[in-house]
Amino acid sequence: MVQKVSNFKTAAAYAEAWLGAAKDMNAENAAFEEAKALRDGIDSISPLWNAMSAPIESTDDKLKIISELAQKAHLSAVSEQILKLAAENNRLKLMPLIAAEFIRLYYQDKGISEVFAESAVELEDGQKAKLQKILEKKLKTPVVISYTVRPEVLGGLSVRFGSYLVDDTIKSKLAKLVQLLAKGN
């Protein structure tokens, strides 16, 4: 019986192989930068990427495009190889997930905590520095913070790290108030 493997497990396997190979080749920092560029870049060209990652396209054509891309973008050999492997196995559609998992594994390997912060407006540099200092003290590790501006949170700050969420946004406070009022009826 054939067992279907989840996309996340598949992406995790590719990411682990990518990081392992990058470490073996002393190219993990270059591969990390390339993973970030891939993750962010694929989103900006999603229609083109979806067309290229379609299983009906010729694998030879995909490999040729990847080779040209690798040369023009000066990709490391290990990143070029992971892209080619994904193309050969019809997994290019998973590259954003593979790249995101590679980044997570890289941070884990380096002992860095990845934190995601959301606010209604862009935080000022002083606020970012203060948040960085507080989180590094609390988590006892270096911290990398990804900031997202989402006007719908109305105000305040939401911070997520690992399985923890600290949500001090006006949106969440209003939702709690609505729940309390609903229980009172």
Side-chain angles (χ1 to χ4, degrees), residues 38-39 41-55 57 62 65-66 69 75 82-84 86-87 91-98:
L38 272 170
R39 179 196 62 193
I42 289 172
D43 285 344
S44 67
I45 60 163
S46 61
L48 177 62
W49 188 261
N50 288 339
M52 189 170 124
S53 62
E57 294 297 322
K62 291 178 188 180
I65 291 168
I66 289 168
L69 170 71
L75 289 181
I82 201 72
L83 282 166
K84 286 181 175 180
R91 299 287 191 246
L92 283 176
K93 203 157 197 76
L94 294 180
M95 278 313 297
L97 189 56
I98 293 168

Side-chain angles (χ1 to χ4, degrees), residues 29-179:
N29 293 334
F32 169 71
E33 293 301 326
E34 292 162 352
K36 288 193 310 185
L38 272 170
R39 179 196 62 193
D40 300 340
I42 289 172
D43 285 344
S44 67
I45 60 163
S46 61
L48 177 62
W49 188 261
N50 288 339
M52 189 170 124
S53 62
I56 57 173
E57 294 297 322
S58 158
T59 300
D60 288 339
D61 290 344
K62 291 178 188 180
L63 294 175
K64 184 179 176 188
I65 291 168
I66 289 168
S67 291
E68 290 171 7
L69 170 71
Q71 184 179 12
K72 287 181 182 177
H74 306 288
L75 289 181
S76 64
V78 69
S79 294
E80 180 180 358
Q81 283 307 113
I82 201 72
L83 282 166
K84 286 181 175 180
L85 183 63
E88 289 169 347
N89 294 312
N90 276 329
R91 299 287 191 246
L92 283 176
K93 203 157 197 76
L94 294 180
M95 278 313 297
L97 189 56
I98 293 168
E101 181 62 8
F102 177 95
I103 293 164
R104 189 192 70 74
L105 290 171
Y106 177 89
Y107 284 144
Q108 181 181 344
D109 186 61
K110 299 292 184 189
I112 299 170
S113 295
E114 187 174 20
V115 177
F116 302 90
E118 289 184 343
S119 59
V121 295
E122 181 76 28
L123 297 180
E124 295 174 5
D125 290 341
Q127 292 171 315
K128 288 180 180 180
K130 185 175 181 181
L131 180 61
Q132 178 101 21
K133 186 176 178 181
I134 289 168
L135 288 170
E136 286 179 347
K137 184 176 180 181
K138 180 80 172 163
L139 299 175
K140 297 180 174 75
T141 65
V143 171
V144 172
I145 305 173
S146 297
Y147 294 97
T148 305
V149 174
R150 292 186 54 220
E152 61 269 21
V153 302
L154 304 175
L157 185 65
S158 171
V159 178
R160 182 174 50 91
F161 49 95
S163 61
Y164 297 100
L165 173 66
V166 179
D167 191 347
D168 192 36
T169 61
I170 293 175
K171 182 179 179 180
S172 72
K173 289 176 182 179
L174 288 173
K176 289 175 189 172
L177 182 60
V178 168
Q179 286 178 342

Side-chain angles (χ1 to χ4, degrees), residues 20-28 76-78:
K23 288 171 95 172
D24 290 346
M25 298 172 77
N26 272 340
E28 62 192 281
S76 64
V78 69

